[in-house]
Amino acid sequence: MSTQSNLTFAPIPDYPNDVEWVTAYLVQRILSDSTWVYAWILWIAIAVIFFSYSAMRWAGLRGGYIGAVWSKWSLRRRTWRKKHSLAVALKLGRPHTQPESLPSNAQILCLLALVVGSLLLAFVGPDYLAPGSRLWTLQNYPKMGVEKRGYPLSDFYFLQPQFTIEKMWWTTGGRTGLIAFALFPLTVLLALKAPPFAIFSIPQFTHLCFDKLAFLHRWCGVLTWFLTTLHVIFWSVQLAIDHRATTGENGYFYAWQYEKFHFAWAAYGFFTLLMLCSLPPIRRHYYEVFWFLHILFVPSTLIMSALHHPPLWWWCWAALALWVGERSYRLTWWLNTNGFLGGIESTQSKPRKRVSFTAEVTPDTLPMHVLGQANAVGKLPVLPRINPALTAPFHHTVAMTGSTYVPPPGFVHAELLPGRTVRVRLVTPGYLSWAPGQHFLINIPAISKFTSHPFTVASVCDSRAHKDAGRELVFFIRAKKGWTKDLWDTVARLTAHGLKYPNGEKLPSECQMPDRGVLMRGFIDGPFGSAARAKWGDHSTVLLVAGGSGVSFALSVLEYMCMCMAGRDGRELGGQPGGWGRRNFRTTRVRFVWLVREFGHIHWCAPFLRRCMSMVPSSELQIDIFVTNAKPAMRSLPPPIIEVSDPDAITEIPLSPPSPHFTRNSLSSPKPKSEKKRHSASTSIVSVETEDDDDNDSVVDLSYYTSDVADEEKGELGHDEHVLDLTNFEGDDDTALPEAAAREEIRLELDEEEIIDISVVAERARAGRPVISRILADEVEQSKGPIIVGCCGPTSLNAVVRKSIAAQINPSRIWQGDERGHIALVAEDFGY
């Protein structure tokens, strides 16, 4: 690397003071103001992409022909697994792991654009532009240096080169440092969660939240660190080859006497530690460590970088201001939501075993939880759907069962569920609204005082409800490692000892204890998530696909859609305006597909699903539950004891599959259509008509019973597959509880109503694994317009759904005016 042969540097005076000499040496090698144009080009490109995407989103181009062509390619993601790796893992007794995966094609394209664009701006073209020149006039003409004031370095700026330099070690090092500085604000912006500081999350623009930007945030941080490392290397080479004429010492010897050189190494050290603690194994297994070090090293890196190079420090201060501003905004929001700045008084602090009253009810105003609970005891018939424009109200005598305990505001009510799962319910002291499918950060001081963890809410916010239950947040948290395991262990220990709250927990006065479960102080931060941008009601058919504990996402959307189809306005439920009978609401069918590992896991969602079944006609709502671990010849393990509210009615009930429909779904030949029957859990509750067995076989894949599912050619993803791939997230523990623990310590408590819920919902369960592509193809053909698919599950399930959607998207149909060629995807998978 060398400069032009006919141009030379101004000689540095032989200052007697070493610090003065090294200052003059380094200032002579600072990039000119004209060179900053490369950083401005980067941000101009970011702004153009930002506003272009926003304009295309508002113009609705994603739903047209061009959008279909783009979606058909961009949605796909690829997974792979080494051949025979499953057999090797089984032989060595290793736990199940998800296959390796790539991001979606859209994510890869965005990452390539960011990386290639940044590298081009860091290396293509002259490194040093003559002061006063422009990028399009790169003549090597001398210019008088513009005097800079406000920096202690201004006395030495006369030494700067007044000509353009193509490449030298220090110019390339300075230019990579320039782009790294310019990337600091972008890296922080991609990590922010709360608008208006999180610009990408603003609904009027891209409305992409952190769940969709986390991938780019991580890789933008890696790219910034990589450019910073190149900056350190190139400058180190320059300092090593340059020597002071009067002493013969190299530049490194004097650089250590320069204060800003110390800031440089401090910044690089903090940045490197930040990258190390962000590695996936540390982030996944030691999240609390990762979180604390992130909070420590991010501001430290930015501050040290700013002090290292004041001429460019506004990039660092801008990034730090965004980070501190968003944290301060979220802190204020957190204090208000959790009642530290005042809150709303609980309207239901004590549980009521039974309350009867007469009320004027219309289908448009009846909250879902009231409608569902009333129907559960057969006191209120399923109300016919009425156009809200009609004014004639219905009059009913409503007998509600308020047996579901609503915790006091600010406290978590945690209950044990099958599958090492904890149901967490919480009502915030301050008013809070959320959209279906969003997630929150939960902090329970009894488990961990400082850290919070993200979980998707399974309930719907009902702004018109007159009880706390309308604002109740419900989460299903499955024990893995770390915080979730600590939560399970704590609740299990307290439950086993008959305790209702941890030692030292301060409960509000006159707080009545729940009949089961435990109370703990809890705090919420949120809501977050790009699911708020989904316009579910704009599509004719809504298909929801969930795997394992990912059902939380699908449940909230299912409840929301059922309430809208029952006559409610989505705007009152945290979503987009619209509902049955309202303009632009097009949904006529919802299908819910849940892949679950064990039959007992149905307990998680049975009350939710039953309420939804009571609101929408069966012709418009189809619920399919696939139990992947169930085999035709069922053998039940010793069941846990289940306590119910009425011991005289039920004393001991095994949580095992019932004999109707579920166990008949086997490899035997299907029954003739004439044998179609109606099964009823109770004649006064609800009856469910089973589907033809031959119809069931068209969407059920039972091949893994004979190990054919692990065939590389037959797998839906083109590689070896495991039955857990579609139901278990990384780290899910399927280890069976010891029989003694199940019988003597951990008691899964159910009331009579929940037993009925499970029995009714079990009619929709079947053994096997669904063929997602066939289900989607059937829905496309039955649909009367565009389709939207909501998906939340393990990586493999997400990949299968994306592959199936890409195969069904048909731009030709859209070109011909058939909207069924368009399929939108809303995935809670930290990807897009």
Side-chain angles (χ1 to χ4, degrees), residues 714-788:
K714 293 184 179 181
E716 284 192 84
L717 293 175
H719 56 69
D720 287 3
E721 293 183 14
H722 192 284
V723 68
L724 296 180
D725 287 347
L726 303 182
T727 59
N728 282 34
F729 289 84
E730 200 75 39
D732 279 354
D733 187 359
D734 271 335
T735 304
L737 293 174
E739 182 179 346
R743 289 189 174 276
E744 299 176 9
E745 297 181 8
I746 301 177
R747 308 176 69 87
L748 302 179
E749 304 175 29
L750 299 175
D751 58 30
E752 185 176 2
E753 183 178 331
E754 287 179 302
I755 293 292
I756 297 174
D757 289 338
I758 295 174
S759 299
V760 173
V761 173
E763 293 286 342
R764 304 300 179 98
R766 63 190 70 174
R769 188 193 69 176
V771 181
I772 301 298
S773 58
R774 195 172 303 166
I775 291 176
L776 180 59
D778 290 344
E779 293 302 322
V780 169
E781 294 306 317
Q782 296 180 35
S783 179
K784 300 177 182 178
I787 297 175
I788 186 169

Side-chain angles (χ1 to χ4, degrees), residues 11-34:
I12 299 177
D14 188 18
Y15 296 106
N17 186 286
D18 290 345
V19 174
E20 195 173 14
W21 181 88
V22 74
T23 302
Y25 168 83
L26 293 174
V27 170
Q28 187 182 48
R29 289 157 178 79
I30 290 178
L31 295 181
S32 65
D33 291 358
S34 300

